Amino acid sequence: MQIYYNSSLKPFHTFSINQTADVIIEVFSVEEVKDVFRNDKWRGLPKLVLGKGSNVLFTEHYRGVVIINRIMGINVREDDSFYYLNVAGGEDWPLLVEHTVKKGIAGLENLAMIPGCVGSAPVQNIGAYGLEFKDICEYVEYVNTETQDMVQLSARECQFGYRDSVFKHSLKTKAFVTSVGLKVSKRYVPLLDYGPLRSLASDSSCQKIFDVICKVRSEKLPDPIVSGNAGSFFKNPVVTSDRFDLLRQQYPDIVHYHTSNGMKLAAGWLIEQCGLKGLCIGGAKVHPKQALVLVNENNATSADVINLALHVRSQVYERYGVMLEHEVRFMGETGEVFLDKFMDSKIERS
């Protein structure tokens, strides 16, 4: 266990914005996790669990304990039909996908280069190119932060939705994900229905798909080491079929995808069509190649990012009547906050 007091969060989140926290603790085992939540010294303080910090924006000093998941380990077994992986929560997700591809274990490749750690994947139900975490999840194991008991949930019990799960609702602040169980079939069927994958042969290997996705992501998405960012800033909005028909009458080229509960629109396309690529507010910028990503271009403050996000959202709503919802989690002084909190006035740069 490594403990830091009144320290900068900059090294612990990919936006690389210089906010601070009362306490930052790196944990390397399940027992250390339990010790943190049992410790009387921190019992009354708010607590936030982070992995790679790839989906969070700290809006101000965090008056609590930030716990960094460093639990490591990958175990693989198989039978005639499936591969079964038990992966510790602190493992790096992109490295896990790369590892499985190199081992010839197909099924995760569509989720290549999604930043973050394994423990964050079920919380967000990460997804890309037609695959979501829920499609390969068998179970999730976590420490109950109130009782310190170990709990295992089936994929069904995780109540996965679009960028959603039980860990954002009834188990919010109550679960520290220690490992996940993944299950992929040996009867490999490539998922080729999205974007650049559509041009691939139907018998393409997982390595081929992995390579294509990595190339596309590397070309379009900024490296957080160079330009701090949290990946896709906004969710792709879902509208009713009737609402979509009206939009398509006005905008025939609108990018969309069919879903079970309506029509999903491409948030990046909406932002780009508003002419917002490359727009800067303070040190924050709409990425010039991928409008869905907001970047820390020049020592941005959290206020810069928030004001830019507000402007982007208002412009999209004004033009299309579609309200974007941020995918990035906003963390305030003692817990999660939302963009609506800041919408009535431009906040001060600090």
Side-chain angles (χ1 to χ4, degrees):
M1 185 184 300
Q2 184 68 50
I3 305 173
Y4 311 89
Y5 293 99
N6 294 310
S7 294
S8 174
L9 288 159
K10 188 173 182 177
F12 299 105
H13 68 120
T14 59
F15 246 124
S16 298
I17 288 174
N18 195 26
Q19 291 289 4
T20 53
D22 283 354
V23 187
I24 302 171
I25 304 175
E26 295 180 277
V27 291
F28 298 87
S29 70
V30 171
E31 283 307 309
E32 288 185 354
V33 174
K34 293 180 179 180
D35 287 344
V36 170
F37 287 97
R38 282 193 294 244
N39 196 310
D40 289 337
K41 185 190 305 184
W42 304 312
R43 189 179 299 277
L45 293 177
K47 297 178 180 68
L48 171 67
V49 177
L50 283 187
K52 302 295 181 180
S54 60
N55 194 48
V56 64
L57 173 70
F58 289 94
T59 64
E60 56 190 312
H61 172 82
Y62 186 72
R63 300 194 180 280
V65 182
V66 176
I67 309 164
I68 313 296
N69 191 341
R70 301 294 195 215
I71 305 172
M72 308 298 284
I74 302 173
N75 294 297
V76 182
R77 64 181 179 87
E78 60 182 291
D79 57 25
D80 292 341
S81 301
F82 296 94
Y83 290 105
Y84 304 88
L85 294 81
N86 180 273
V87 188
E91 291 284 350
D92 183 77
W93 181 267
L95 290 180
L96 170 66
V97 177
E98 183 178 359
H99 172 77
T100 59
V101 170
K102 286 182 177 179
K103 293 290 186 181
I105 300 173
L108 279 69
E109 59 281 350
N110 288 49
L111 302 180
M113 289 188 70
I114 295 180
C117 73
V118 168
S120 303
V123 178
Q124 190 72 0
N125 185 27
I126 59 173
Y129 295 101
L131 182 70
E132 291 183 316
F133 179 83
K134 69 179 179 63
D135 301 320
I136 53 175
C137 177
E138 185 176 22
Y139 60 82
V140 175
E141 294 179 326
Y142 68 89
V143 172
N144 182 307
T145 61
E146 296 178 338
T147 66
Q148 288 77 62
D149 293 330
M150 289 297 301
V151 182
Q152 184 180 103
L153 294 183
S154 67
R156 181 178 180 182
E157 290 172 317
C158 289
Q159 300 174 26
F160 291 121
Y162 176 57
R163 303 297 178 269
D164 200 17
S165 71
V166 69
F167 302 104
K168 286 188 171 184
H169 300 283
S170 61
L171 291 181
K172 187 176 182 179
T173 75
K174 298 178 182 178
F176 185 110
V177 176
T178 55
S179 66
V180 303
L182 307 179
K183 178 180 178 181
V184 293
S185 175
K186 289 185 174 181
R187 298 183 64 180
Y188 178 54
V189 179
L191 294 176
L192 305 172
D193 295 333
Y194 282 76
L197 302 184
R198 289 173 174 159
S199 62
L200 296 181
S202 60
D203 60 350
S204 293
S205 67
C206 65
Q207 182 69 60
K208 177 64 175 177
I209 293 170
F210 176 82
D211 291 343
V212 169
I213 291 174
C214 288
K215 182 175 185 295
V216 170
R217 283 190 174 274
S218 296
E219 290 174 350
K220 286 189 174 183
L221 299 177
D223 184 344
I225 296 175
V226 178
S227 297
N229 69 88
S232 298
F233 198 92
F234 295 101
K235 296 180 182 180
N236 289 323
V238 177
V239 300
T240 65
S241 296
D242 289 344
R243 174 64 181 148
F244 172 74
D245 289 341
L246 291 174
L247 283 169
R248 188 160 60 172
Q249 288 176 21
Q250 291 180 274
Y251 310 100
D253 297 331
I254 190 168
V255 177
H256 61 281
Y257 309 96
H258 293 273
T259 69
S260 58
N261 60 337
M263 201 68 71
K264 184 187 296 184
L265 307 180
W269 185 89
L270 298 175
I271 297 167
E272 181 176 353
Q273 297 306 303
C274 290
L276 298 175
K277 272 187 172 181
L279 175 70
C280 293
I281 292 182
K285 183 177 184 178
V286 179
H287 193 261
K289 291 186 178 179
Q290 174 49 271
L292 194 54
V293 179
L294 307 187
V295 299
N296 178 357
E297 181 72 9
N298 184 23
N299 296 316
T301 66
S302 55
D304 294 338
V305 178
I306 291 167
N307 289 328
L308 181 58
L310 285 168
H311 181 74
V312 168
R313 194 173 72 161
S314 68
Q315 291 296 296
V316 170
Y317 184 76
E318 184 177 318
R319 180 165 183 174
Y320 296 102
V322 174
M323 185 65 76
L324 296 181
E325 179 182 349
H326 53 96
E327 185 172 327
V328 173
R329 296 179 67 199
F330 285 24
M331 298 307 305
E333 188 177 51
T334 58
E336 190 165 4
V337 295
F338 299 89
L339 193 55
D340 286 346
K341 172 185 175 181
F342 308 99
M343 67 184 297
D344 291 333
S345 61
K346 185 175 181 179
I347 67 173
E348 295 293 328
R349 192 177 198 271
S350 59

